Amino acid sequence: MKQLKRMLGLFMLVSLVTVSLYQPAQGHKNHPREIYHKAWQLVNDSYYEDGFNGVDWKKLEHKFDSKIQTVEDAHKYIKVMLKTLNDPYTRFLDPKAYKDESDAIDAKIVGIGINLMQKNARLMITKTIEEGPAEEAGVRAGDEIIGIDGKTAIGITPEQAAERIRGQAGTPVALKLREKTGAEKDVNITRREIIIRAVKATMLPNNIGKIQLSTFISSDAAREFRIALKKLQRADGLVIDLRDNPGGLLSNALEIADMLLERGAIVSTISRTGQHTDIASGVPITHQPIVVLVDQESASASEILASALRDNDRAKLVGTKTYGKGLVQEINRLPGGAAVHITVSRYLTPSGSDINKIGVAPDITVSRKEEQLSAAVSHLREKIASLKNPIRTSSLSYSR
Protein backbone atom coordinates (compact mmCIF):
# COMPACT_ATOMS: atom_id res chain seq x y z
CA MET A 1 0.00 0.00 0.00
CA LYS A 2 1.23 3.47 -0.80
CA GLN A 3 0.39 6.59 1.08
CA LEU A 4 1.03 9.89 -0.63
CA LYS A 5 0.52 13.36 0.76
CA ARG A 6 1.83 16.75 -0.30
CA MET A 7 3.59 18.38 2.56
CA LEU A 8 5.30 21.63 3.42
CA GLY A 9 6.91 21.58 6.81
CA LEU A 10 10.04 21.98 8.88
CA PHE A 11 9.32 20.48 12.25
CA MET A 12 10.34 17.54 14.35
CA LEU A 13 7.44 16.53 16.56
CA VAL A 14 8.74 14.31 19.32
CA SER A 15 6.42 11.39 19.87
CA LEU A 16 6.30 7.62 20.34
CA VAL A 17 6.26 4.81 17.85
CA THR A 18 5.73 1.25 19.02
CA VAL A 19 4.42 -0.52 15.90
CA SER A 20 5.24 -0.57 12.22
CA LEU A 21 2.70 0.80 9.78
CA TYR A 22 3.51 -1.87 7.23
CA GLN A 23 2.78 -5.58 7.41
CA PRO A 24 3.88 -7.53 4.34
CA ALA A 25 1.49 -9.99 2.75
CA GLN A 26 1.54 -13.45 4.25
CA GLY A 27 4.40 -15.45 2.80
CA HIS A 28 6.03 -12.50 1.06
CA LYS A 29 9.14 -10.67 2.17
CA ASN A 30 10.72 -7.83 0.25
CA HIS A 31 14.40 -8.23 -0.54
CA PRO A 32 16.33 -5.30 0.94
CA ARG A 33 17.51 -4.25 -2.53
CA GLU A 34 13.85 -3.86 -3.57
CA ILE A 35 13.42 -1.22 -0.86
CA TYR A 36 16.45 0.71 -2.10
CA HIS A 37 15.37 0.45 -5.75
CA LYS A 38 11.84 1.60 -4.89
CA ALA A 39 13.26 4.74 -3.27
CA TRP A 40 15.53 5.32 -6.27
CA GLN A 41 12.60 4.95 -8.68
CA LEU A 42 10.38 7.33 -6.74
CA VAL A 43 13.01 10.05 -6.86
CA ASN A 44 13.78 9.30 -10.49
CA ASP A 45 10.12 9.72 -11.44
CA SER A 46 9.11 12.73 -9.38
CA TYR A 47 12.07 14.86 -8.22
CA TYR A 48 11.34 18.46 -9.18
CA GLU A 49 14.73 19.24 -10.69
CA ASP A 50 15.26 17.23 -13.88
CA GLY A 51 19.05 17.56 -13.59
CA PHE A 52 18.95 16.12 -10.04
CA ASN A 53 21.06 19.04 -8.83
CA GLY A 54 23.97 17.93 -11.00
CA VAL A 55 23.95 14.31 -9.77
CA ASP A 56 24.21 11.44 -12.26
CA TRP A 57 21.14 9.76 -10.83
CA LYS A 58 21.24 6.77 -13.16
CA LYS A 59 24.60 5.70 -11.75
CA LEU A 60 23.07 5.38 -8.29
CA GLU A 61 20.43 2.86 -9.36
CA HIS A 62 22.63 -0.21 -8.82
CA LYS A 63 25.70 1.36 -7.25
CA PHE A 64 25.20 -0.26 -3.83
CA ASP A 65 23.60 -3.58 -4.85
CA SER A 66 26.54 -5.67 -3.64
CA LYS A 67 26.49 -3.91 -0.26
CA ILE A 68 22.77 -4.26 0.49
CA GLN A 69 22.12 -7.53 2.31
CA THR A 70 19.77 -6.43 5.09
CA VAL A 71 16.94 -3.95 5.58
CA GLU A 72 19.32 -1.86 7.68
CA ASP A 73 21.72 -1.80 4.73
CA ALA A 74 18.93 -0.64 2.43
CA HIS A 75 18.00 2.18 4.79
CA LYS A 76 21.65 3.19 5.15
CA TYR A 77 22.25 3.44 1.42
CA ILE A 78 18.98 5.19 0.75
CA LYS A 79 20.25 7.91 3.07
CA VAL A 80 23.60 7.95 1.24
CA MET A 81 21.79 8.17 -2.11
CA LEU A 82 19.49 11.01 -1.05
CA LYS A 83 22.34 12.97 0.51
CA THR A 84 23.96 13.35 -2.92
CA LEU A 85 21.09 15.65 -3.95
CA ASN A 86 22.17 18.22 -1.36
CA ASP A 87 18.48 18.82 -0.64
CA PRO A 88 17.70 18.76 3.10
CA TYR A 89 13.99 18.26 2.42
CA THR A 90 14.40 15.10 0.33
CA ARG A 91 15.08 12.65 3.11
CA PHE A 92 14.54 9.17 4.47
CA LEU A 93 12.19 8.35 7.36
CA ASP A 94 12.61 5.09 9.19
CA PRO A 95 9.38 3.30 10.24
CA LYS A 96 9.37 5.03 13.61
CA ALA A 97 9.78 8.50 12.16
CA TYR A 98 7.13 7.80 9.53
CA LYS A 99 4.71 6.58 12.20
CA ASP A 100 5.38 9.80 14.15
CA GLU A 101 4.51 11.83 11.09
CA SER A 102 1.39 9.83 10.35
CA ASP A 103 0.26 10.22 13.95
CA ALA A 104 0.75 13.99 13.68
CA ILE A 105 -1.36 14.05 10.51
CA ASP A 106 -4.03 12.08 12.38
CA ALA A 107 -3.85 14.73 15.15
CA LYS A 108 -2.99 12.18 17.82
CA ILE A 109 0.46 11.24 19.13
CA VAL A 110 2.10 9.58 22.09
CA GLY A 111 5.02 11.55 23.43
CA ILE A 112 5.93 14.63 25.45
CA GLY A 113 4.68 17.32 23.06
CA ILE A 114 7.54 19.49 21.84
CA ASN A 115 8.76 20.79 18.50
CA LEU A 116 12.52 20.85 17.95
CA MET A 117 14.75 22.80 15.60
CA GLN A 118 18.51 23.08 15.29
CA LYS A 119 19.80 26.64 15.53
CA ASN A 120 23.51 27.35 15.35
CA ALA A 121 24.23 23.72 16.32
CA ARG A 122 21.98 24.09 19.38
CA LEU A 123 18.97 21.82 19.95
CA MET A 124 16.16 24.27 20.59
CA ILE A 125 12.56 23.77 21.67
CA THR A 126 10.49 26.02 19.40
CA LYS A 127 7.06 25.05 20.73
CA THR A 128 5.36 23.03 23.42
CA ILE A 129 1.92 21.56 22.83
CA GLU A 130 -0.64 23.25 25.05
CA GLU A 131 -1.51 21.13 28.09
CA GLY A 132 0.99 18.49 26.95
CA PRO A 133 3.37 16.67 29.30
CA ALA A 134 6.35 18.93 28.51
CA GLU A 135 4.43 22.15 29.09
CA GLU A 136 3.00 20.82 32.34
CA ALA A 137 6.54 19.93 33.47
CA GLY A 138 7.68 23.53 32.98
CA VAL A 139 9.35 23.20 29.58
CA ARG A 140 9.09 26.39 27.53
CA ALA A 141 9.73 27.47 23.95
CA GLY A 142 13.27 28.84 23.79
CA ASP A 143 14.72 26.22 26.12
CA GLU A 144 17.77 24.36 24.80
CA ILE A 145 18.03 20.62 25.36
CA ILE A 146 21.55 19.79 26.54
CA GLY A 147 20.94 16.32 27.98
CA ILE A 148 18.58 13.36 27.55
CA ASP A 149 18.41 10.58 30.14
CA GLY A 150 21.78 11.48 31.60
CA LYS A 151 23.63 11.67 28.25
CA THR A 152 24.71 14.85 26.49
CA ALA A 153 22.49 16.17 23.71
CA ILE A 154 24.92 18.87 22.59
CA GLY A 155 25.58 18.70 18.86
CA ILE A 156 22.92 16.11 18.01
CA THR A 157 20.21 16.67 15.40
CA PRO A 158 16.46 16.98 16.08
CA GLU A 159 16.01 13.54 14.49
CA GLN A 160 18.59 11.99 16.81
CA ALA A 161 17.02 13.70 19.81
CA ALA A 162 13.56 12.47 18.80
CA GLU A 163 14.85 8.91 18.64
CA ARG A 164 16.17 9.20 22.20
CA ILE A 165 13.06 10.90 23.57
CA ARG A 166 10.57 8.44 22.09
CA GLY A 167 9.10 5.77 24.36
CA GLN A 168 5.93 4.07 25.43
CA ALA A 169 3.05 5.88 27.09
CA GLY A 170 3.48 5.93 30.85
CA THR A 171 7.29 5.82 30.77
CA PRO A 172 9.53 8.72 31.89
CA VAL A 173 12.24 10.67 30.08
CA ALA A 174 14.69 13.01 31.81
CA LEU A 175 15.74 16.22 30.08
CA LYS A 176 18.45 18.68 31.07
CA LEU A 177 17.55 22.13 29.78
CA ARG A 178 19.28 25.47 29.44
CA GLU A 179 16.83 28.35 29.75
CA LYS A 180 17.07 31.68 27.91
CA THR A 181 18.65 33.16 31.02
CA GLY A 182 21.45 30.59 30.88
CA ALA A 183 20.21 28.78 33.97
CA GLU A 184 20.11 24.98 33.74
CA LYS A 185 17.36 22.75 35.08
CA ASP A 186 16.40 19.07 35.10
CA VAL A 187 12.87 17.91 34.32
CA ASN A 188 11.31 14.45 34.38
CA ILE A 189 8.43 14.01 31.94
CA THR A 190 6.04 11.07 31.58
CA ARG A 191 5.05 10.27 28.00
CA ARG A 192 1.34 10.02 27.19
CA GLU A 193 -1.16 10.28 24.36
CA ILE A 194 -1.69 13.85 23.19
CA ILE A 195 -4.49 15.23 21.03
CA ILE A 196 -3.02 17.86 18.72
CA ARG A 197 -5.10 21.01 18.36
CA ALA A 198 -4.01 23.06 15.39
CA VAL A 199 -6.26 26.08 16.05
CA LYS A 200 -7.12 28.23 19.04
CA ALA A 201 -9.75 30.97 18.78
CA THR A 202 -10.06 33.80 21.32
CA MET A 203 -11.90 37.11 21.48
CA LEU A 204 -9.70 40.08 22.34
CA PRO A 205 -10.83 43.45 23.70
CA ASN A 206 -12.57 45.86 21.29
CA ASN A 207 -14.33 42.99 19.51
CA ILE A 208 -11.21 41.70 17.74
CA GLY A 209 -10.99 37.97 17.09
CA LYS A 210 -7.68 36.09 17.19
CA ILE A 211 -7.06 32.73 15.51
CA GLN A 212 -3.79 31.05 16.39
CA LEU A 213 -2.90 28.44 13.78
CA SER A 214 0.04 26.47 15.16
CA THR A 215 0.49 23.82 12.47
CA PHE A 216 -0.78 22.70 9.07
CA ILE A 217 0.28 19.07 9.62
CA SER A 218 -2.97 17.89 11.24
CA SER A 219 -5.60 16.65 8.83
CA ASP A 220 -8.10 18.44 11.09
CA ALA A 221 -6.48 21.88 10.73
CA ALA A 222 -8.82 23.25 8.04
CA ARG A 223 -11.90 21.93 9.84
CA GLU A 224 -10.72 23.49 13.11
CA PHE A 225 -10.11 26.79 11.31
CA ARG A 226 -13.64 26.78 9.92
CA ILE A 227 -15.00 26.20 13.44
CA ALA A 228 -12.88 29.10 14.72
CA LEU A 229 -14.37 31.40 12.08
CA LYS A 230 -17.85 30.44 13.22
CA LYS A 231 -16.91 31.13 16.84
CA LEU A 232 -15.59 34.57 15.91
CA GLN A 233 -18.22 35.47 13.33
CA ARG A 234 -19.38 38.51 15.32
CA ALA A 235 -15.87 39.99 15.59
CA ASP A 236 -15.21 43.23 13.69
CA GLY A 237 -11.85 41.92 12.46
CA LEU A 238 -9.45 38.99 12.75
CA VAL A 239 -5.82 38.56 13.68
CA ILE A 240 -4.47 35.28 12.25
CA ASP A 241 -1.36 34.25 14.14
CA LEU A 242 1.07 32.15 12.07
CA ARG A 243 4.09 32.75 14.28
CA ASP A 244 6.13 29.65 15.13
CA ASN A 245 4.10 27.68 12.58
CA PRO A 246 6.53 25.42 10.66
CA GLY A 247 4.05 24.31 8.00
CA GLY A 248 2.49 20.97 7.14
CA LEU A 249 0.04 19.79 4.50
CA LEU A 250 -0.39 21.84 1.34
CA SER A 251 -4.07 20.88 1.20
CA ASN A 252 -4.70 22.68 4.49
CA ALA A 253 -3.06 25.88 3.24
CA LEU A 254 -5.18 25.80 0.07
CA GLU A 255 -8.44 25.13 1.89
CA ILE A 256 -7.91 27.81 4.53
CA ALA A 257 -6.86 30.39 1.94
CA ASP A 258 -10.03 29.61 -0.03
CA MET A 259 -12.12 30.32 3.08
CA LEU A 260 -10.72 33.85 3.20
CA LEU A 261 -9.98 34.98 -0.36
CA GLU A 262 -12.53 36.78 -2.50
CA ARG A 263 -10.56 36.24 -5.70
CA GLY A 264 -7.18 35.46 -7.20
CA ALA A 265 -4.45 32.87 -7.18
CA ILE A 266 -3.44 31.08 -4.01
CA VAL A 267 -0.14 29.55 -5.13
CA SER A 268 1.60 28.25 -8.25
CA THR A 269 3.61 25.03 -8.11
CA ILE A 270 6.26 24.21 -10.70
CA SER A 271 7.38 20.63 -11.27
CA ARG A 272 9.15 18.74 -14.04
CA THR A 273 5.84 18.32 -15.82
CA GLY A 274 4.82 21.97 -15.82
CA GLN A 275 3.15 24.67 -13.77
CA HIS A 276 -0.14 24.52 -11.89
CA THR A 277 -1.93 27.44 -10.24
CA ASP A 278 -4.56 26.99 -7.55
CA ILE A 279 -7.24 29.68 -7.79
CA ALA A 280 -9.62 30.79 -5.04
CA SER A 281 -13.23 29.76 -5.61
CA GLY A 282 -14.34 33.33 -4.99
CA VAL A 283 -16.86 32.28 -2.35
CA PRO A 284 -15.20 33.15 0.98
CA ILE A 285 -16.98 32.38 4.21
CA THR A 286 -15.93 35.68 5.78
CA HIS A 287 -15.25 39.22 4.61
CA GLN A 288 -13.88 40.42 7.96
CA PRO A 289 -10.74 42.58 7.79
CA ILE A 290 -7.62 40.54 8.51
CA VAL A 291 -4.09 41.08 9.79
CA VAL A 292 -1.62 38.18 9.80
CA LEU A 293 1.18 37.76 12.33
CA VAL A 294 4.40 36.15 11.02
CA ASP A 295 7.94 35.61 12.25
CA GLN A 296 11.16 33.85 11.32
CA GLU A 297 9.67 30.47 12.28
CA SER A 298 6.65 30.86 9.96
CA ALA A 299 7.54 28.45 7.18
CA SER A 300 6.27 26.81 3.98
CA ALA A 301 2.48 26.37 4.30
CA SER A 302 2.44 29.42 6.60
CA GLU A 303 4.25 31.39 3.92
CA ILE A 304 1.80 30.20 1.25
CA LEU A 305 -1.21 31.36 3.27
CA ALA A 306 0.39 34.65 4.31
CA SER A 307 1.49 35.45 0.75
CA ALA A 308 -1.89 34.52 -0.73
CA LEU A 309 -3.69 36.88 1.64
CA ARG A 310 -1.20 39.71 1.21
CA ASP A 311 -0.71 39.47 -2.56
CA ASN A 312 -4.47 39.50 -3.11
CA ASP A 313 -4.88 42.60 -0.90
CA ARG A 314 -6.83 40.59 1.66
CA ALA A 315 -4.53 41.18 4.63
CA LYS A 316 -1.46 42.98 5.88
CA LEU A 317 1.44 41.09 7.43
CA VAL A 318 2.89 42.18 10.77
CA GLY A 319 6.02 40.88 12.49
CA THR A 320 9.36 39.79 11.04
CA LYS A 321 10.53 38.13 7.83
CA THR A 322 9.47 34.50 7.49
CA TYR A 323 11.71 31.44 7.22
CA GLY A 324 11.91 31.04 3.44
CA LYS A 325 10.92 27.52 2.39
CA GLY A 326 9.56 27.51 -1.14
CA LEU A 327 9.59 23.78 -1.90
CA VAL A 328 6.86 21.11 -1.77
CA GLN A 329 7.47 17.51 -0.72
CA GLU A 330 5.45 14.34 -1.16
CA ILE A 331 5.49 11.60 1.45
CA ASN A 332 6.09 8.25 -0.24
CA ARG A 333 5.77 5.00 1.68
CA LEU A 334 8.32 2.23 1.12
CA PRO A 335 8.01 -1.54 1.60
CA GLY A 336 8.57 -2.40 5.25
CA GLY A 337 7.08 0.76 6.74
CA ALA A 338 9.76 3.35 6.03
CA ALA A 339 9.18 6.36 3.77
CA VAL A 340 10.89 9.09 1.80
CA HIS A 341 10.08 12.76 1.52
CA ILE A 342 10.74 13.88 -2.05
CA THR A 343 10.80 17.47 -3.23
CA VAL A 344 8.39 17.40 -6.17
CA SER A 345 7.93 21.09 -6.92
CA ARG A 346 8.86 24.61 -6.03
CA TYR A 347 6.22 27.26 -5.57
CA LEU A 348 5.63 30.89 -6.44
CA THR A 349 3.44 33.31 -4.53
CA PRO A 350 0.53 34.98 -6.38
CA SER A 351 2.82 37.93 -7.16
CA GLY A 352 5.27 35.53 -8.82
CA SER A 353 7.90 35.59 -6.06
CA ASP A 354 10.13 32.61 -5.28
CA ILE A 355 10.62 32.93 -1.53
CA ASN A 356 12.90 29.90 -1.05
CA LYS A 357 15.83 30.82 1.19
CA ILE A 358 14.54 34.41 1.09
CA GLY A 359 11.34 34.52 3.11
CA VAL A 360 8.37 36.88 3.04
CA ALA A 361 8.92 40.40 4.35
CA PRO A 362 6.07 41.82 6.46
CA ASP A 363 4.23 45.00 5.56
CA ILE A 364 4.80 46.28 9.08
CA THR A 365 8.01 45.15 10.76
CA VAL A 366 7.82 44.68 14.53
CA SER A 367 10.93 42.95 15.87
CA ARG A 368 9.96 42.46 19.50
CA LYS A 369 7.58 39.51 19.80
CA GLU A 370 5.78 40.94 22.82
CA GLU A 371 4.85 44.02 20.77
CA GLN A 372 3.65 42.27 17.62
CA LEU A 373 0.09 41.44 18.67
CA SER A 374 -0.63 44.98 19.87
CA ALA A 375 0.76 46.37 16.61
CA ALA A 376 -1.45 44.00 14.62
CA VAL A 377 -4.54 44.96 16.63
CA SER A 378 -3.75 48.66 16.24
CA HIS A 379 -3.48 48.36 12.47
CA LEU A 380 -6.65 46.26 12.33
CA ARG A 381 -8.62 48.81 14.34
CA GLU A 382 -7.53 51.53 11.90
CA LYS A 383 -8.77 49.40 9.04
CA ILE A 384 -12.09 48.74 10.76
CA ALA A 385 -12.52 52.45 11.54
CA SER A 386 -12.08 53.26 7.84
CA LEU A 387 -15.08 51.08 6.95
CA LYS A 388 -18.56 52.56 7.02
CA ASN A 389 -20.10 49.43 8.50
CA PRO A 390 -18.53 46.45 10.28
CA ILE A 391 -18.05 43.43 8.02
CA ARG A 392 -18.63 40.12 9.70
CA THR A 393 -18.66 36.46 8.76
CA SER A 394 -21.23 35.21 6.30
CA SER A 395 -23.79 32.64 7.39
CA LEU A 396 -21.70 29.63 8.28
CA SER A 397 -22.43 26.05 9.18
CA TYR A 398 -20.16 23.11 9.74
CA SER A 399 -20.28 19.45 10.58
CA ARG A 400 -18.04 17.55 12.93
Side-chain angles (χ1 to χ4, degrees):
M1 181 183 294
K2 176 182 176 183
Q3 177 172 318
L4 186 68
K5 291 181 180 290
R6 302 182 79 188
M7 181 177 185
L8 302 100
L10 284 177
F11 68 92
M12 173 57 58
L13 187 62
V14 177
S15 61
L16 160 79
V17 179
T18 56
V19 296
S20 171
L21 287 180
Y22 178 85
Q23 294 294 334
Q26 188 71 27
H28 175 76
K29 184 176 181 180
N30 291 99
H31 190 282
R33 284 195 292 273
E34 292 180 32
I35 302 172
Y36 175 90
H37 290 148
K38 178 65 174 178
W40 180 91
Q41 190 68 53
L42 286 166
V43 176
N44 185 69
D45 292 345
S46 60
Y47 193 66
Y48 82 113
E49 210 281 307
D50 57 8
F52 298 94
N53 295 338
V55 176
D56 187 343
W57 194 250
K58 182 66 177 176
K59 283 188 175 181
L60 292 170
E61 183 177 6
H62 297 288
K63 182 174 181 178
F64 305 111
D65 281 4
S66 64
K67 299 180 180 180
I68 298 175
Q69 303 299 322
T70 66
V71 171
E72 290 73 20
D73 292 337
H75 292 176
K76 172 184 175 180
Y77 287 106
I78 290 172
K79 293 177 186 177
V80 171
M81 173 179 66
L82 297 180
K83 190 174 182 179
T84 65
L85 292 169
N86 195 30
D87 175 357
Y89 306 118
T90 296
R91 60 189 182 89
F92 172 78
L93 285 75
D94 64 27
K96 291 182 178 181
Y98 179 46
K99 175 63 162 55
D100 279 357
E101 189 168 87
S102 297
D103 285 346
I105 291 171
D106 291 339
K108 184 182 293 186
I109 63 172
V110 174
I112 64 171
I114 60 175
N115 287 359
L116 299 177
M117 187 175 286
Q118 201 164 38
K119 297 181 182 179
N120 301 320
R122 300 169 66 198
L123 188 63
M124 305 300 298
I125 296 171
T126 59
K127 177 180 173 58
T128 60
I129 294 177
E130 188 174 357
E131 298 181 356
E135 183 183 81
E136 292 176 356
V139 179
R140 298 290 178 262
D143 288 349
E144 176 188 3
I145 298 179
I146 58 176
I148 302 170
D149 283 335
K151 297 181 180 179
T152 183
I154 295 174
I156 69 173
T157 66
E159 291 82 4
Q160 291 168 331
E163 181 65 29
R164 288 165 59 178
I165 293 173
R166 290 186 186 105
Q168 295 184 1
T171 61
V173 61
L175 301 183
K176 179 176 282 293
L177 305 174
R178 181 180 289 128
E179 299 178 314
K180 292 179 181 179
T181 61
E184 296 182 3
K185 65 179 181 181
D186 295 295
V187 294
N188 290 297
I189 308 170
T190 300
R191 305 170 178 98
R192 71 166 189 259
E193 184 174 273
I194 306 166
I195 303 300
I196 302 173
R197 303 296 183 195
V199 175
K200 181 179 181 181
T202 53
M203 186 66 82
L204 303 177
N206 299 303
N207 207 38
I208 300 296
K210 176 173 177 280
I211 300 178
Q212 183 176 353
L213 180 56
S214 59
T215 180
F216 290 83
I217 190 65
S218 167
S219 58
D220 283 341
R223 182 184 66 84
E224 290 182 35
F225 194 90
R226 185 180 294 268
I227 292 170
L229 288 177
K230 180 175 177 63
K231 179 179 178 180
L232 300 174
Q233 62 184 324
R234 302 304 300 171
D236 292 332
L238 299 174
V239 175
I240 299 176
D241 191 351
L242 299 178
R243 293 175 298 176
D244 298 313
N245 185 327
L249 301 180
L250 174 60
S251 57
N252 280 328
L254 296 176
E255 188 172 348
I256 291 171
D258 194 58
M259 294 179 199
L260 304 172
L261 285 175
E262 298 169 0
R263 64 184 185 282
I266 299 174
V267 68
S268 295
T269 51
I270 303 172
S271 67
R272 277 158 55 180
T273 58
Q275 180 169 329
H276 171 78
T277 300
D278 287 283
I279 305 294
S281 65
V283 188
I285 59 177
T286 179
H287 298 274
Q288 291 157 295
I290 296 171
V291 170
V292 179
L293 283 168
V294 294
D295 65 7
Q296 65 274 16
E297 306 300 342
S298 304
S300 77
S302 293
E303 293 170 297
I304 285 179
L305 178 58
S307 295
L309 296 177
R310 196 262 296 279
D311 290 359
N312 286 292
D313 297 320
R314 185 67 178 89
K316 296 292 186 183
L317 309 185
V318 174
T320 58
K321 183 183 287 189
T322 63
Y323 184 88
K325 180 175 181 286
L327 302 173
V328 180
Q329 286 72 46
E330 283 183 347
I331 310 168
N332 295 267
R333 187 172 176 172
L334 297 173
V340 286
H341 279 193
I342 299 173
T343 301
V344 295
S345 61
R346 62 188 179 94
Y347 71 80
L348 303 178
T349 68
S351 65
S353 298
D354 182 346
I355 59 93
N356 196 48
K357 298 183 180 180
I358 298 172
V360 180
D363 300 291
I364 303 169
T365 299
V366 182
S367 299
R368 293 175 63 86
K369 189 166 187 174
E370 59 269 25
E371 298 173 359
Q372 291 167 351
L373 178 58
S374 61
V377 170
S378 177
H379 177 79
L380 189 57
R381 291 183 65 189
E382 290 177 9
K383 175 65 176 177
I384 294 167
S386 70
L387 301 173
K388 291 183 179 180
N389 298 299
I391 300 176
R392 298 191 173 100
T393 304
S394 306
S395 178
L396 185 68
S397 63
Y398 65 89
S399 59
R400 291 185 181 273

